[in-house]
């Protein structure tokens, strides 16, 4: 089954570096970033997990839980975490799923045999508190991910869930946003008292409403 945006993501029970996880229960009312790695003790993955540990306060501020996955076992994860902490000057303080039986990898389509045989590619899933899939990205094993971009996407999703706006190209927190096409300019001016600039009838900009 291919997961598509808007789908409720599969629940699962799996071991991790911090004990067994029942995914939907563990996620609770939080957003979740689930991201996979080809294997433990690999160089690009080591830098990625260190960066996520350093960014953990930023994820916490946004009510986001982070959950990594590799097909190695929990004991291997624990040894690798020691290396990550040492080499990346961090403290890995989130769980890494031990998906030795490929149960989660298969559920979420993380194994692409024509890319990496029996190993997970660099998949990313952003999941909202209703357990719905909101974003998916897949990177090749040779390319490390850009986690500040994932924070930017979460900022956009959380903003646009609450206001009738969308975020334009290269948007970042504090920039102007786009008024969605489904409301008229007159209605937009009432909803967004900071002002609405009509560039074209279909392209209206307004300051970020929650700033």
């Amino acid at each position: 089954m291919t997961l598509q945006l808007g789908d409720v993501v599969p629940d699962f029970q799996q071991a991790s570096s911090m004990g067994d996880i029942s995914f939907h229960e563990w996620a609770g009312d939080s957003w979740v970033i689930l991201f996979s790695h080809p294997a433990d003790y690999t160089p690009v993955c080591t830098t990625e997990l260190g960066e996520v540990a350093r960014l953990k306060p930023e994820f916490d501020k946004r009510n986001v839980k982070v959950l990594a996955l590799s097909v190695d076992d929990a004991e291997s994860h624990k040894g690798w975490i020691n290396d990550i902490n040492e080499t990346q000057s961090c403290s890995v303080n989130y769980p890494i799923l031990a998906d030795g039986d490929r149960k989660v990898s298969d559920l979420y389509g993380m194994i692409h045999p024509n890319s990496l045989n029996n190993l997970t590619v660099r998949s990313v899933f952003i999941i909202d508190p209703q357990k719905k899939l909101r974003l998916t990205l897949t990177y090749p094993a040779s390319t490390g991910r850009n986690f500040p971009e994932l924070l930017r996407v979460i900022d956009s999703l959380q903003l646009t869930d609450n206001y009738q706006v969308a975020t334009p190209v290269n948007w970042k927190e504090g920039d102007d946003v786009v008024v969605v096409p489904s409301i008229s300019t007159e209605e937009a001016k009432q909803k967004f008292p900071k002002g609405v600039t009509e560039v074209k009838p279909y392209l209206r900009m307004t300051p970020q409403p929650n700033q």
Side-chain angles (χ1 to χ4, degrees), residues 87-130:
T87 63
Q88 304 304 304
S89 301
C90 67
S91 177
V92 173
N93 48 4
Y94 55 88
I96 307 172
L97 291 171
D99 197 39
D101 59 4
R102 283 35 172 197
K103 176 171 61 180
V104 181
S105 304
D106 288 340
L107 272 176
Y108 283 74
M110 296 174 177
I111 293 177
H112 297 194
N114 291 329
S115 176
L116 280 178
N117 188 28
N118 291 324
L119 295 176
T120 50
V121 291
R122 295 187 196 285
S123 297
V124 181
F125 302 89
I126 294 181
I127 300 156
D128 70 18
Q130 287 70 50

Side-chain angles (χ1 to χ4, degrees), residues 119-172:
L119 295 176
T120 50
V121 291
R122 295 187 196 285
S123 297
V124 181
F125 302 89
I126 294 181
I127 300 156
D128 70 18
Q130 287 70 50
K131 313 299 184 290
K132 289 185 178 181
L133 180 63
R134 301 298 297 276
L135 173 139
T136 180
L137 289 169
T138 302
Y139 290 69
S142 57
T143 303
R145 284 162 281 209
N146 184 330
F147 285 94
E149 165 63 5
L150 297 179
L151 284 170
R152 188 188 77 90
V153 170
I154 289 166
D155 286 339
S156 173
L157 289 170
Q158 293 182 346
L159 173 66
T160 58
D161 276 359
N162 290 299
Y163 298 91
Q164 289 180 293
V165 297
T167 54
V169 62
N170 296 333
W171 175 87
K172 61 185 184 300

